[in-house]
Amino acid sequence: MKQKTIYLVFLDTGTLLTKMINLFTNSTLNHTSIALDQSLNYVYSFGRKRPKNPFIGGFVRENLQMPFFKNAACAVYRLQISEVEYQLLEQRINMMETKKHLYRYNMLGLFGVMLNKELQRENAYFCSQFVATMLSDCGVYQYHKPACLIRPQDLRDWHELKLIYQGSLSNYPYFNMTNQHEYAHKWDTSKIKLG
């Protein structure tokens, strides 16, 4: 069966909110996203809609090369999934992107994680809840606790992930490397020279 590759990105931006979360979790890299390409051009999560305001959040396509992420530390993991699972994931993300105004950040859910108490809210996610839900809905990931209690560290501990890079995000070696074969369908292929 043909395989596709996706990536899970774990970040620490060094903001005050990040430092507070790190203190509580006793770990770092507490923001997680799904990337559909190694160059990290198609990265999705639940986070800030405006970089300077941590209280306005929801579904976002993240531009990891913007100044907000300039000093971020990261770990990027590769995950092999089937073509069918990939198509389901892409469809689900595309659907959420077209209706992103309906989704909000699950700030209340973060308190649920702290108290180990399920606080489910309709159309509301925090980052690791979103990633776990997306992967579960496609049949890739079966977690041992509700998605609303999944922490980034739970995902990083998953044995299926293969670490490909850890360090400063600004030094990530695969930025701007276009995988034309896999992503040609995203552009007008008549204008792209392959080979």
Side-chain angles (χ1 to χ4, degrees):
M1 182 179 287
K2 193 172 178 185
Q3 295 279 293
K4 298 284 259 184
T5 304
I6 63 171
Y7 302 85
L8 297 193
V9 182
F10 298 86
L11 294 167
D12 187 328
T13 56
T15 63
L16 181 60
L17 181 61
T18 298
K19 288 175 182 172
M20 287 172 34
I21 293 170
N22 291 353
L23 190 63
F24 169 75
T25 62
N26 197 28
S27 67
T28 59
L29 304 174
N30 282 303
H31 176 70
T32 187
S33 311
I34 295 175
L36 299 181
D37 64 316
Q38 190 174 33
S39 297
L40 307 183
N41 291 314
Y42 298 95
V43 181
Y44 303 92
S45 190
F46 269 69
R48 300 172 187 229
K49 289 190 171 184
R50 297 182 187 147
K52 294 185 179 182
N53 188 337
F55 302 105
I56 298 175
F59 177 84
V60 290
R61 177 176 168 190
E62 295 176 316
N63 177 356
L64 298 185
Q65 295 188 55
M66 67 186 294
F68 178 74
F69 295 105
K70 181 182 175 189
N71 298 314
C74 77
V76 181
Y77 292 80
R78 182 180 69 225
L79 175 64
Q80 299 291 125
I81 63 176
S82 74
E83 194 159 16
V84 171
E85 291 164 341
Y86 180 88
Q87 288 171 354
L88 287 171
L89 176 63
E90 195 173 39
Q91 287 169 9
R92 184 102 162 90
I93 287 172
N94 288 338
M95 184 274 298
M96 289 183 93
E97 191 165 29
T98 60
K99 298 181 179 182
K100 61 185 172 189
H101 62 282
L102 299 176
Y103 295 93
R104 58 200 181 283
Y105 192 82
N106 189 6
M107 187 69 76
L108 191 60
L110 293 179
F111 294 104
V113 173
M114 287 195 254
L115 301 170
N116 199 33
K117 184 175 175 69
E118 290 185 50
L119 294 175
Q120 302 267 11
R121 297 174 63 214
E122 189 175 356
N123 291 340
Y125 300 87
F126 49 85
C127 63
S128 52
Q129 179 184 16
F130 162 73
V131 171
T133 300
M134 291 293 100
L135 295 178
S136 175
D137 287 354
C138 309
V140 175
Y141 180 64
Q142 299 305 316
Y143 33 83
H144 58 281
K145 55 185 174 181
C148 64
L149 295 178
I150 296 285
R151 301 171 190 229
Q153 190 60 47
D154 296 323
L155 293 166
R156 284 183 73 194
D157 290 342
W158 186 26
H159 69 279
E160 295 289 328
L161 299 182
K162 303 294 181 227
L163 181 66
I164 64 164
Y165 176 78
Q166 186 162 1
S168 169
L169 179 63
S170 61
N171 293 330
Y172 180 67
Y174 302 104
F175 275 141
N176 300 319
M177 290 178 62
T178 304
N179 187 340
Q180 294 174 342
H181 178 70
E182 274 193 65
Y183 295 95
H185 69 279
K186 303 244 185 231
W187 302 286
D188 179 1
T189 53
S190 65
K191 296 178 183 173
I192 297 175
K193 286 189 178 179
L194 299 175

